Amino acid sequence: IESISFGSHLISSSNKLTIRTEIKIINFGSIFFYGIEKFKIIYLSSNNLGGFIYENQTHDSYSLKKTLGFLYLDKNQISIIKNSTFSRLNIFEKLIGLYLSHNQIEMIEDNSFFGLNELYTIDLSFNRLEFITNEMFKHLINLSLLTLTSNRIKWIHLDAFVGLKNLNTLFLTRN
C-alpha cells in the first residue's frame, strides 16, 4: 500500500486526529503512517488486518513518534507478532496504549514489544495464546495494566513478569 485516502473517515476533534475506517487492509507497515504526524489515536479495529510488513523505511517518521499515543488493532486477523515488530516500524516510541484483543494471536515472539518503553497498557485478551515466556514482555518497563483474559494459556514462565516493576494489574481470567 503506497497511499490511502480516508476521505470522510478521518475525524478531527480539538487537537487530536482519529481514523475510524471501514477500509479493508491486509498488511501494513511504516509507510502506512507517513504524513499523519498529528495523530494521537489510530483506530484500525475490525479491518481484517493479517499482520505487519517490514519495508525499507524511506520516509522520516520522527514527528509521528512524538504524538502517537494509542493504537487500536483489535478485532482483526493478526496471528503472530514477530521479534522487534514495533521497533522495526520505528513509529511507536511514545505509544501508551496498544489494543490487540479479539485477534487470532497464537504466538508472540520474544522481544516483540522492544522499543515500547512508554507503553502503559496492552490488551491481548480474546486471542489464542498458550505460552507466556520470560522474554515476551521484558522491555515494557512502564507497563501498568496487562490483559490476557480469554486466551488458551497453559504455561507461564516463572520469570514472565519479573522485569515489570510498574505492573499493578494483571488479568488472566478464563484461560
Side-chain angles (χ1 to χ4, degrees):
I1 297 172
E2 289 190 25
S3 66
I4 294 177
S5 173
F6 290 99
S8 63
H9 298 294
L10 181 63
I11 300 169
S12 175
S13 62
S14 63
N15 59 358
K16 70 177 182 181
L17 294 174
T18 304
I19 295 176
R20 291 190 188 267
T21 178
E22 297 296 323
I23 296 170
K24 300 301 178 196
I25 305 165
I26 296 171
N27 291 300
F28 69 96
S30 59
I31 192 134
F32 178 84
F33 296 99
Y34 177 69
I36 55 175
E37 52 276 334
K38 293 184 192 287
F39 280 59
K40 304 261 187 227
I41 302 170
I42 297 178
Y43 292 92
L44 290 171
S45 304
S46 303
N47 272 293
N48 292 324
L49 292 172
F52 304 90
I53 55 174
Y54 310 105
E55 70 282 335
N56 290 330
Q57 294 203 356
T58 57
H59 302 290
D60 179 19
S61 56
Y62 175 77
S63 57
L64 183 63
K65 287 193 262 184
K66 290 183 176 180
T67 62
L68 184 62
F70 299 90
L71 180 61
Y72 290 83
L73 292 168
D74 53 307
K75 299 177 185 169
N76 282 293
Q77 304 297 318
I78 300 168
S79 60
I80 185 170
I81 302 177
K82 294 186 178 281
N83 182 299
S84 299
T85 290
F86 296 96
S87 63
R88 284 183 197 170
L89 292 177
N90 194 31
I91 54 176
F92 301 112
E93 187 177 279
K94 298 295 181 185
L95 198 66
I96 297 168
L98 179 60
Y99 303 91
L100 292 160
S101 68
H102 294 89
N103 275 284
Q104 299 172 9
I105 300 171
E106 296 176 320
M107 181 180 190
I108 299 174
E109 291 183 359
D110 290 344
N111 300 308
S112 291
F113 301 112
F114 180 77
L116 298 181
N117 298 333
E118 301 296 322
L119 198 64
Y120 178 83
T121 182
I122 185 167
D123 186 351
L124 289 160
S125 61
F126 295 95
N127 279 291
R128 299 176 181 172
L129 292 171
E130 293 185 11
F131 306 100
I132 306 298
T133 70
N134 62 324
E135 299 285 324
M136 195 175 284
F137 304 112
K138 179 180 179 181
H139 301 286
L140 301 178
I141 56 174
N142 286 311
L143 192 68
S144 178
L145 171 62
L146 176 58
T147 306
L148 295 167
T149 301
S150 295
N151 276 280
R152 300 173 180 172
I153 298 172
K154 298 175 185 172
W155 180 83
I156 299 175
H157 191 280
L158 184 62
D159 295 329
F161 309 115
V162 168
L164 306 179
K165 298 187 185 325
N166 291 309
L167 186 67
N168 60 39
T169 307
L170 173 63
F171 291 107
L172 285 167
T173 55
R174 292 187 296 255
N175 277 291

